[in-house]
Amino acid sequence: MKLRSALMFCSSFLIFSLFPGSPVKAQTQTEPAIIPRPAVVKSLPGRFLLNAATKICVTPGNPAGRKLGAMLSQALKDRTGLTIPVSESRSPVANAFIIHLGPGTDSLGKEGYRLTVNNKNILLRASEGNGAFYGIQTILQLLPTTKKALTGIPAVEITDWPRFEWRGLMLDCGRYYYSMNFLKKLIDYMAMHKMNTFHWHLTEDHGWRLEIKKYPRLTDIGAWRTTTEFSQGRLNGTPAGGYYTQEQAKELVAYAAERYVTIVPEIEMPGHATAALIAYPELSCSGGPFKPLTRWGIQKEIFCAGNERTFEFLEDVIKEVVAIFPGAVIHMGGDEAPKDRWKSCPKCQERIRKEHLKDEHELQSYFVKRVEKIFTAQKKNYIGWDEILEGGLAPNAWVMSWRGIKGGIEAARQQHNVVMTPYNYYYLDYYQGKPSMEPNAIFDHAINTLEKVYNFEPTPPELTEAEARFIKGVQGNVWSEFIHTPEKVEYMAFPRAAAIAETGWTPKNRKQWDDFARRMETQYERYDFLELNYARSAYNVWQTTLTDSLANTAEIRFKTNSYQPEIRYTTDGNEPTTQSTLYTGPFKVKPPLLIKSATFKNGKMMGKVYEEAVLRK
Ligand code: ACM
Ligand code: ZN
């Protein structure tokens, strides 16, 4: 028996390493299922027993520590039902969580922490609240995934710090308005993944969402349209919209700050500005008037670059934005600005002549440089989509590389800080599985599966070591053309945001798809506990069919993005069940026939049924 299982282990392990996601049985793993994977983990024997007498002790006289203690206490109550009191204490206490904030772990940076769990207590050390907060997230992932009062926490030593400083998620609230409650929930989900930057896309052609006191029409008019749904790019007719007051925006900033998330607001310019131009048509080239849009897509109406009033307006807006958002960086958009209107606008053409610009592309560069002066005067850095590279940038400009990684490479070579968010890996409005198995998403041609998202490497090998230091992080983007409910945001963002979070946090040499897939099985249970509406697409079966037309046979292979899946299939047209044939490796069939397959776990179907006809060739 022993020998047999040892042999099975070896062969499984070999197959498994060749084909991650293929259906083979367990290798034992002792490292706890923490996502993102910590930098250094040493599992130890024994465990800490959490019980009704357990306490939380925090460093005396440290408000951040007290707040974190209270946060841990609340989280433990949610997960165990126990009320664990928080007190301040300098001396080691038995049967306690000890949160020590202060010197001792400085070399790990402000987001780093050290965590030791043994049978006496749980010691969390960090130099700043950021690190202690992340240590708490790790502690919560050491707990069972379902509510249990008396619980054991496995003994472990963890030393952890992030690979990148910007670990972001963007939500497009311009095309679609999302409630404050949902944004808070999203920030909670980000924080649990140790993500630290929420990029708040606040203005779009289809809606302006932030109250600007000097320009009330931006939200009185620009925040509304007579439609709730754009379906396949068309309107269907009922009023929709909404905006965030400055008080609400400040409330969200504070909420995020308590979770060590910085909000980077985005005000789009010169393009993606139709909503603003409907409200203030005098800022456009033609003077308007314009109607609310009835289709998605890139719009031709953009801010007039020849009109001084445009820059006065943007300066006023930026001043109000800066007063709300204390972060060091503001996003100025800069993408997808068609030059049609500038070409036919006398004011823009006059500007080109007077400034000795070559063409409308240099006018865009002029525009960015004018706005840059506003940011500099406000003592803020700005970030823009990679189009802002065209024409040269000020030294403090950051670049968000979205049209692949080329913009990021160029920016890093010019010594600009870069955030990698290439559409073909990190756009979370793209499908995450076969389009026929998924809710409507933006394009059919680029499917960003969980595995594909996970395997993106943000530091391009063509950069020198010095250049690579300008790659500051990663970000997933949730554009909302086809995402109109919080539930769908959750579905599209998770679990893929977990893959991005791990790339942003975990040392490169600790990143490994099959181990991530293993830990995700536990992460899904955490999502269930939180009632997060994540996609189960990773369980769906991908079928590869290799036909031999001479022999009229076909070889079938199955794969999923889940860990060691139990795939079952039928060839008789029936729905697969727990009793159907178990897939153990490639098999041959005689076409024509219909194959239906699905993944099962603990007697339950996990994803959807995939069906594919295998035809005679
Ligand atoms: C973008 O997707 N237009 C940044
Ligand atoms: Zn103009």
Side-chain angles (χ1 to χ4, degrees), residues 272 335-336 385 387 402 427 479:
H272 289 283
D335 59 322
E336 298 178 326
W385 301 108
E387 285 93 330
W402 74 277
Y427 271 28
W479 299 103

Side-chain angles (χ1 to χ4, degrees), residues 37 88 143 403 496 587:
R37 192 180 193 187
E88 298 190 354
L143 296 170
R403 295 176 299 176
R496 290 183 291 182
F587 62 96

Side-chain angles (χ1 to χ4, degrees), residues 283-286 302-307 310 341-349 351 363:
L283 303 176
S284 71
C285 288
S286 71
I302 67 176
F303 285 117
C304 177
N307 186 349
T310 296
R341 297 295 180 263
W342 287 359
K343 278 188 182 144
S344 56
C345 169
K347 287 201 212 81
C348 286
Q349 291 304 315
R351 178 83 76 194
L363 184 56

Side-chain angles (χ1 to χ4, degrees), residues 269-563:
M269 61 191 84
H272 289 283
T274 310
L277 298 178
I278 292 169
Y280 294 97
E282 61 271 29
L283 303 176
S284 71
C285 288
S286 71
F290 310 109
K291 285 210 210 67
L293 296 170
T294 57
R295 284 183 178 269
W296 303 126
I298 299 171
Q299 308 298 323
K300 290 191 175 148
E301 301 307 333
I302 67 176
F303 285 117
C304 177
N307 186 349
E308 276 310 293
R309 287 206 54 193
T310 296
F311 298 103
E312 287 161 19
F313 165 84
L314 291 173
E315 181 168 7
D316 292 336
V317 168
I318 289 166
K319 278 183 177 162
E320 291 197 31
V321 169
V322 163
I324 301 166
F325 297 95
V329 184
I330 308 280
H331 204 302
M332 59 150 298
D335 59 322
E336 298 178 326
K339 305 298 182 293
D340 308 56
R341 297 295 180 263
W342 287 359
K343 278 188 182 144
S344 56
C345 169
K347 287 201 212 81
C348 286
Q349 291 304 315
E350 175 64 13
R351 178 83 76 194
I352 287 174
R353 265 193 305 280
K354 265 184 127 160
E355 298 291 334
H356 310 292
L357 306 173
K358 211 164 68 209
D359 55 17
E360 291 74 24
H361 295 282
E362 286 202 355
L363 184 56
Q364 161 124 353
S365 169
Y366 168 88
F367 189 105
V368 172
K369 283 179 181 144
R370 284 287 303 263
V371 173
E372 175 179 289
K373 287 199 183 82
I374 303 172
F375 283 112
T376 307
Q378 295 297 313
K379 300 190 171 37
K380 290 284 184 186
N381 296 334
Y382 70 94
I383 187 165
W385 301 108
D386 56 41
E387 285 93 330
I388 67 166
L389 273 166
E390 294 158 18
L393 286 177
N396 61 349
W398 289 56
V399 173
M400 208 165 245
S401 189
W402 74 277
R403 295 176 299 176
I405 59 168
K406 253 182 39 222
I409 293 171
E410 193 185 327
R413 286 190 173 143
Q414 292 179 25
Q415 309 198 335
H416 292 293
N417 289 333
V418 172
V419 176
M420 285 294 192
T421 178
Y423 71 93
N424 49 341
Y425 292 92
Y426 280 2
Y427 271 28
L428 303 181
D429 55 333
Y430 280 41
Y431 283 98
Q432 56 196 311
K434 280 215 155 66
S436 60
M437 310 266 282
E438 292 290 327
N440 209 14
I442 194 156
F443 299 123
D444 285 2
H445 57 267
I447 301 172
N448 293 336
T449 62
L450 181 62
E451 185 176 8
K452 186 177 181 206
V453 173
Y454 187 79
N455 284 329
F456 174 69
E457 166 49 42
T459 303
E462 49 268 66
L463 294 182
T464 65
E465 222 177 290
E467 289 164 349
R469 279 198 275 277
F470 289 95
I471 308 293
K472 295 298 181 192
V474 290
Q475 180 174 291
N477 292 337
V478 184
W479 299 103
S480 61
E481 282 97 332
F482 292 87
I483 302 175
H484 304 168
T485 62
E487 293 74 26
K488 195 164 175 188
V489 174
E490 293 181 8
Y491 181 94
M492 298 304 279
F494 297 96
R496 290 183 291 182
I500 297 170
E502 181 143 313
T503 301
W505 183 278
T506 304
K508 189 177 166 184
N509 65 1
R510 294 263 297 158
K511 258 192 75 186
Q512 207 182 20
W513 161 251
D514 50 343
D515 187 69
F516 174 74
R518 174 186 70 83
R519 285 175 285 115
M520 279 310 294
E521 295 294 327
T522 310
Q523 188 79 345
Y524 292 137
E525 293 172 14
R526 295 182 189 121
Y527 293 163
D528 285 331
F529 178 77
L530 296 169
E531 297 179 4
L532 197 170
N533 184 44
Y534 65 99
R536 272 85 168 165
S537 313
Y539 289 106
N540 291 345
V541 175
W542 289 82
Q543 179 176 325
T544 314
T545 306
L546 256 173
T547 40
D548 179 340
S549 47
L550 272 181
N552 187 32
T553 58
E555 187 189 79
I556 308 296
R557 285 169 188 251
F558 295 139
K559 180 181 173 358
T560 72
N561 272 190
S562 62
Y563 183 65

